[in-house]
PDB file of all heavy atoms in Angstrom:
ATOM      1  N   ASN A   2     -71.667  73.453 -24.584  1.00 44.00           N
ATOM      2  CA  ASN A   2     -73.111  73.465 -24.386  1.00 44.00           C
ATOM      3  C   ASN A   2     -73.552  72.249 -23.588  1.00 44.00           C
ATOM      4  O   ASN A   2     -72.792  71.321 -23.359  1.00 44.00           O
ATOM      5  CB  ASN A   2     -73.845  73.561 -25.740  1.00 44.00           C
ATOM      6  CG  ASN A   2     -73.657  72.328 -26.607  1.00 44.00           C
ATOM      7  OD1 ASN A   2     -73.603  71.218 -26.101  1.00 44.00           O
ATOM      8  ND2 ASN A   2     -73.551  72.516 -27.910  1.00 44.00           N
ATOM      9  N   ASN A   8     -73.120  64.260 -23.229  1.00 50.00           N
ATOM     10  CA  ASN A   8     -72.399  63.226 -23.961  1.00 50.00           C
ATOM     11  C   ASN A   8     -71.137  62.808 -23.223  1.00 50.00           C
ATOM     12  O   ASN A   8     -70.777  61.641 -23.197  1.00 50.00           O
ATOM     13  CB  ASN A   8     -72.052  63.694 -25.373  1.00 50.00           C
ATOM     14  CG  ASN A   8     -73.266  63.768 -26.262  1.00 50.00           C
ATOM     15  OD1 ASN A   8     -74.289  63.149 -25.977  1.00 50.00           O
ATOM     16  ND2 ASN A   8     -73.176  64.536 -27.331  1.00 50.00           N
ATOM     17  N   ILE A  11     -72.061  60.531 -20.274  1.00 47.00           N
ATOM     18  CA  ILE A  11     -72.424  59.199 -20.759  1.00 47.00           C
ATOM     19  C   ILE A  11     -71.172  58.436 -21.180  1.00 47.00           C
ATOM     20  O   ILE A  11     -71.001  57.275 -20.844  1.00 47.00           O
ATOM     21  CB  ILE A  11     -73.439  59.289 -21.921  1.00 47.00           C
ATOM     22  CG1 ILE A  11     -74.778  59.812 -21.378  1.00 47.00           C
ATOM     23  CG2 ILE A  11     -73.609  57.939 -22.603  1.00 47.00           C
ATOM     24  CD1 ILE A  11     -75.773  60.188 -22.445  1.00 47.00           C
ATOM     25  N   ASP A  17     -66.322  53.698 -17.454  1.00 79.00           N
ATOM     26  CA  ASP A  17     -66.253  53.143 -16.104  1.00 79.00           C
ATOM     27  C   ASP A  17     -66.860  51.750 -16.057  1.00 79.00           C
ATOM     28  O   ASP A  17     -66.332  50.863 -15.388  1.00 79.00           O
ATOM     29  CB  ASP A  17     -66.962  54.057 -15.102  1.00 79.00           C
ATOM     30  CG  ASP A  17     -66.196  55.356 -14.866  1.00 79.00           C
ATOM     31  OD1 ASP A  17     -65.008  55.428 -15.231  1.00 79.00           O
ATOM     32  OD2 ASP A  17     -66.809  56.292 -14.323  1.00 79.00           O
ATOM     33  N   MET A  29     -62.550  36.750 -12.058  1.00 95.00           N
ATOM     34  CA  MET A  29     -63.029  35.405 -12.386  1.00 95.00           C
ATOM     35  C   MET A  29     -61.922  34.557 -13.005  1.00 95.00           C
ATOM     36  O   MET A  29     -61.795  33.368 -12.704  1.00 95.00           O
ATOM     37  CB  MET A  29     -64.241  35.472 -13.322  1.00 95.00           C
ATOM     38  CG  MET A  29     -65.494  36.033 -12.672  1.00 95.00           C
ATOM     39  SD  MET A  29     -66.196  34.954 -11.386  1.00 95.00           S
ATOM     40  CE  MET A  29     -65.359  35.508  -9.919  1.00 95.00           C
ATOM     41  N   ASN A  37     -58.284  25.636 -10.567  1.00 92.00           N
ATOM     42  CA  ASN A  37     -57.693  24.596 -11.415  1.00 92.00           C
ATOM     43  C   ASN A  37     -56.355  24.116 -10.867  1.00 92.00           C
ATOM     44  O   ASN A  37     -56.082  22.911 -10.867  1.00 92.00           O
ATOM     45  CB  ASN A  37     -57.544  25.086 -12.855  1.00 92.00           C
ATOM     46  CG  ASN A  37     -58.846  25.025 -13.610  1.00 92.00           C
ATOM     47  OD1 ASN A  37     -59.645  24.114 -13.429  1.00 92.00           O
ATOM     48  ND2 ASN A  37     -59.083  26.009 -14.446  1.00 92.00           N
ATOM     49  N   GLU A  38     -55.523  25.031 -10.390  1.00 94.00           N
ATOM     50  CA  GLU A  38     -54.232  24.637  -9.824  1.00 94.00           C
ATOM     51  C   GLU A  38     -54.427  23.780  -8.570  1.00 94.00           C
ATOM     52  O   GLU A  38     -53.769  22.756  -8.412  1.00 94.00           O
ATOM     53  CB  GLU A  38     -53.385  25.875  -9.498  1.00 94.00           C
ATOM     54  CG  GLU A  38     -52.794  26.538 -10.725  1.00 94.00           C
ATOM     55  CD  GLU A  38     -51.887  25.611 -11.507  1.00 94.00           C
ATOM     56  OE1 GLU A  38     -50.994  24.972 -10.914  1.00 94.00           O
ATOM     57  OE2 GLU A  38     -52.082  25.509 -12.734  1.00 94.00           O
ATOM     58  N   PRO A  57     -68.849  27.391  -0.295  1.00 93.00           N
ATOM     59  CA  PRO A  57     -67.866  28.007   0.605  1.00 93.00           C
ATOM     60  C   PRO A  57     -66.435  27.906   0.069  1.00 93.00           C
ATOM     61  O   PRO A  57     -65.625  28.832   0.257  1.00 93.00           O
ATOM     62  CB  PRO A  57     -68.010  27.228   1.908  1.00 93.00           C
ATOM     63  CG  PRO A  57     -69.355  26.596   1.849  1.00 93.00           C
ATOM     64  CD  PRO A  57     -69.636  26.370   0.393  1.00 93.00           C
ATOM     65  N   ALA A  90     -70.116  39.808  -4.912  1.00 92.00           N
ATOM     66  CA  ALA A  90     -68.859  40.533  -4.721  1.00 92.00           C
ATOM     67  C   ALA A  90     -69.143  42.021  -4.851  1.00 92.00           C
ATOM     68  O   ALA A  90     -69.747  42.456  -5.834  1.00 92.00           O
ATOM     69  CB  ALA A  90     -67.821  40.094  -5.757  1.00 92.00           C
ATOM     70  N   LYS A  92     -71.266  43.888  -3.532  1.00 86.00           N
ATOM     71  CA  LYS A  92     -72.703  44.210  -3.515  1.00 86.00           C
ATOM     72  C   LYS A  92     -73.304  44.385  -4.896  1.00 86.00           C
ATOM     73  O   LYS A  92     -74.445  44.784  -5.034  1.00 86.00           O
ATOM     74  CB  LYS A  92     -72.974  45.468  -2.680  1.00 86.00           C
ATOM     75  CG  LYS A  92     -72.551  45.335  -1.245  1.00 86.00           C
ATOM     76  CD  LYS A  92     -72.782  46.608  -0.484  1.00 86.00           C
ATOM     77  CE  LYS A  92     -72.216  46.474   0.914  1.00 86.00           C
ATOM     78  NZ  LYS A  92     -72.244  47.718   1.648  1.00 86.00           N
ATOM     79  N   SER A 100     -71.770  22.814 -10.522  1.00 73.00           N
ATOM     80  CA  SER A 100     -70.824  21.709 -10.665  1.00 73.00           C
ATOM     81  C   SER A 100     -71.375  20.716 -11.667  1.00 73.00           C
ATOM     82  O   SER A 100     -72.582  20.603 -11.852  1.00 73.00           O
ATOM     83  CB  SER A 100     -70.576  21.024  -9.319  1.00 73.00           C
ATOM     84  OG  SER A 100     -71.758  20.419  -8.865  1.00 73.00           O
ATOM     85  N   SER A 113     -65.057  29.793 -15.824  1.00 63.00           N
ATOM     86  CA  SER A 113     -65.909  30.944 -15.554  1.00 63.00           C
ATOM     87  C   SER A 113     -66.788  31.160 -16.769  1.00 63.00           C
ATOM     88  O   SER A 113     -66.301  31.132 -17.896  1.00 63.00           O
ATOM     89  CB  SER A 113     -65.084  32.217 -15.325  1.00 63.00           C
ATOM     90  OG  SER A 113     -64.249  32.053 -14.217  1.00 63.00           O
TER      91      SER A 113
END
Side-chain angles (χ1 to χ4, degrees):
N2 66 36
N8 288 340
I11 292 169
D17 290 344
M29 291 292 90
N37 281 323
E38 285 300 311
K92 300 178 186 172
S100 65
S113 299

